[in-house]
Amino acid sequence: MVSFESKVYSFINNHELIQKGDRLLIACSGGIDSMGLLHYFLSLRKSFDIEIFVAHVDHMLRGKTSLEDRQFVENFCKEKGVPVFSTSIPIPEILKEEGGNSQAICRRERYAYFAEVMEKNSITKLVTAHHADDQLESMLMSFTRSGSLGGMKGIYAKRTFSFGTIIRPFLSVTKKEVKEYLEMKGGTYREDSSNSKDDYTRNRFRHHIIPLMKQENESIPQNAVQLAERIQEDDDYLFTIATSKFTQLTRRSDGDGYVLDITAFQKEPLSIQRRIILMLLNYLYNGTESSNSDVLARSILELCKTQDGSATIDLPKQFVANRIYDEVFFEKKTVKVIHDETIVQLNEWNKLKNGMCLYIGEASNVAKSEEIDEGVKLYFNSKSFTAPFRVRSRKDGDRIHLKGMEKQKRLSRLFIDEKVPLLDRDSWPILVDSKDVVMAVIGIRENKNISKIQRAQDDIKIIIEYNKE
């Protein structure tokens, strides 16, 4: 019989989860699974030639008990000489302020802490203790909610996370095997009392559905792992094909949207069509949850079945899909924008409508105001731009030449990259010169000829500040 350590070791090698010299951050709650994971890497860190670190998050949901979990993990790591990073996050206070799903908020805050620790300590891999039973539960929960292919892919053994990777070396083993391994090692653990309650969907599956399935076949968790891997492999391959087709079938519109060529689109298999639509939604919504809607995808596919006349469907967040004969335009709803424009008075403060104050004047001047504090200072040479200067809202086709870039960047793309809310983009203040050259998207980025540090040739100063109120 293959030993537990050998089984996991083989899974790690087959999926190329660890390389020599890796620095691993092990997420450890103190429970059976994560303590089994920690014992495993303590036993084999010399074989892998790796450094290990531990991270623990106290969600402060169980008062003294959860604090004791934190102390348990800290004491164990101190005894074993393993560097540990731990923190307490006031989830009850966050829930009171935000509302929402407690498990989702716990996960968000926990992983944000892990990312912070990794970045500060140059750790490139986060290790979690997800096992085969977790895979089965995740797939069944997803199937129950929606039956989407994305959900049926389950948990990946490896995926990108923060600026590194998250890996799950225990996916090849069951919870029972992890428990037996920890007991064999003489390890101890902490039991989370919430695991015994049926308050959470996962617990209800774990306590009632999975045991019935295991009565039929004890190996069903491993079957789930194998099925998930096959689905992942096939779906990833089809998305690779769809990615190459995407550039052929779509183009950027004049605004922030896309145009889809229906004639060419209809020639593709339905599986590729569906993925192209999902990719398009992902780009349109910058990866937010609106991009993952199978309902949206089905509606758009229906819209693309014909090229006769025109039709429109409303999409979330003020977007629409307009079909005009053989093309579909994915764009923001047309809103009449009044292009406000303000002439900048030199050597004095200019109050803008958005509450911002702007000063442009000779660099030697001392700019003082009773209403505002000196804010962000920028400098440029008067020969770089032509007065008079104006502040206006953006126009279609606006571009800015950023430092370090050979080509100018579209403001529509800049707003996306800087995550400026859609509703704010049309009113965002743009500083331009008399030739309409974009000098700055105020408060975000500046033209390459503007510096945050005064250079010898700079004779003009810009100060940007908000009203104290």
Side-chain angles (χ1 to χ4, degrees), residues 26-282:
I26 298 175
C28 184
S29 67
I32 291 177
D33 304 335
S34 59
M35 288 304 295
L37 184 71
L38 184 49
H39 275 276
Y40 177 84
F41 280 105
L42 282 171
S43 297
L44 296 182
R45 59 179 163 180
K46 289 185 178 179
S47 300
F48 284 117
D49 190 15
I50 55 174
E51 293 181 77
I52 62 173
F53 306 82
V54 169
H56 174 87
V57 174
D58 166 18
H59 298 116
M60 302 178 71
L61 288 170
R62 293 175 290 117
K64 181 182 177 182
T65 303
S66 58
L67 178 59
E68 289 173 348
D69 292 347
R70 176 179 177 177
Q71 293 168 342
F72 168 78
V73 173
E74 290 174 342
N75 292 337
F76 179 86
C77 291
K78 182 178 180 181
E79 177 186 331
K80 299 296 183 180
V82 178
V84 60
F85 304 95
S86 61
T87 189
S88 295
I89 299 176
I91 298 298
E93 293 181 19
I94 297 174
L95 282 169
K96 186 176 180 181
E97 182 178 336
E98 296 183 13
N101 180 283
S102 61
Q103 284 194 316
I105 290 176
C106 284
R107 188 185 190 284
R108 181 192 73 192
E109 297 297 321
R110 182 169 66 249
Y111 278 82
Y113 177 68
F114 295 157
E116 179 185 334
V117 170
M118 292 171 70
E119 185 173 0
K120 287 182 178 179
N121 297 276
S122 300
I123 301 171
T124 56
K125 288 182 179 176
L126 173 67
V127 192
T128 66
H130 291 93
H131 45 65
D133 291 75
D134 291 322
Q135 184 71 288
L136 175 60
E137 291 166 7
S138 295
M139 294 174 72
L140 290 175
M141 288 165 60
S142 175
F143 182 68
T144 302
R145 283 194 301 267
S146 65
S148 69
L149 180 62
M152 292 306 293
K153 290 194 293 183
I155 305 169
Y156 274 75
K158 176 171 61 176
R159 68 170 177 81
T160 57
F161 172 72
S162 185
F163 66 97
T165 309
I166 182 170
I167 61 173
R168 291 149 176 145
F170 272 12
L171 277 182
S172 60
V173 293
T174 64
K175 186 176 185 69
K176 179 183 177 182
E177 289 176 301
V178 175
K179 186 174 186 294
E180 290 173 348
Y181 174 74
L182 184 61
E183 290 173 348
M184 183 267 291
K185 286 289 185 180
T188 55
Y189 60 91
R190 297 278 296 177
E191 187 63 62
D192 185 341
S193 59
S194 66
N195 288 338
S196 62
K197 300 176 182 178
D198 280 349
D199 296 350
Y200 303 118
T201 303
R202 185 175 290 274
N203 283 359
R204 293 194 291 274
F205 274 86
R206 183 174 296 167
H207 299 155
H208 306 293
I209 307 300
I210 305 299
L212 288 175
M213 299 180 77
K214 285 186 175 180
Q215 287 179 19
E216 298 296 328
N217 183 356
E218 186 69 25
S219 298
I220 193 168
Q222 292 95 329
N223 292 345
V225 171
Q226 292 175 15
L227 175 61
E229 286 192 0
R230 299 295 87 78
I231 295 174
Q232 290 167 12
E233 290 166 357
D234 291 351
D235 191 56
D236 291 347
Y237 174 69
L238 288 172
F239 259 109
T240 299
I241 297 174
T243 300
S244 66
K245 294 290 184 180
F246 185 86
T247 56
Q248 300 172 29
L249 304 180
T250 66
R251 69 177 191 274
R252 293 304 299 263
S253 64
D254 292 337
D256 293 333
Y258 289 84
V259 182
L260 176 66
D261 180 342
I262 297 179
T263 303
F265 180 75
Q266 289 177 338
K267 295 177 181 178
E268 299 299 329
L270 183 59
S271 60
I272 299 300
Q273 290 183 16
R274 188 182 297 111
R275 286 167 175 81
I276 288 173
I277 294 300
L278 290 174
M279 289 174 61
L280 197 153
L281 290 171
N282 185 63

Side-chain angles (χ1 to χ4, degrees), residues 246 252-258 280 282-287 394-395 397-400 402 405 408-420 425 441 444-445:
F246 185 86
R252 293 304 299 263
S253 64
D254 292 337
D256 293 333
Y258 289 84
L280 197 153
N282 185 63
Y283 287 130
L284 209 61
Y285 292 108
N286 296 313
R394 68 163 173 162
K395 297 178 181 177
D398 269 347
R399 287 175 166 80
I400 185 171
L402 300 174
M405 295 185 66
Q408 297 187 62
K409 186 166 189 171
R410 294 173 63 94
L411 293 201
S412 56
R413 186 70 243 173
L414 179 67
F415 282 133
I416 292 172
D417 293 345
E418 296 294 335
K419 295 181 172 55
V420 176
R425 295 176 190 176
V441 179
I444 297 181
R445 297 291 296 274

Side-chain angles (χ1 to χ4, degrees), residues 283-325:
Y283 287 130
L284 209 61
Y285 292 108
N286 296 313
T288 61
E289 60 181 87
S290 297
S291 66
N292 298 318
S293 173
D294 283 335
V295 175
L296 275 183
R298 286 196 295 270
S299 298
I300 294 169
L301 285 169
E302 190 67 28
L303 183 71
C304 295
K305 282 185 177 179
T306 179
Q307 301 176 36
D308 297 331
S310 61
T312 301
I313 58 174
D314 288 320
L315 304 177
K317 299 184 179 180
Q318 300 298 308
F319 276 92
V320 292
N322 288 321
R323 190 194 72 226
I324 303 175
Y325 297 106

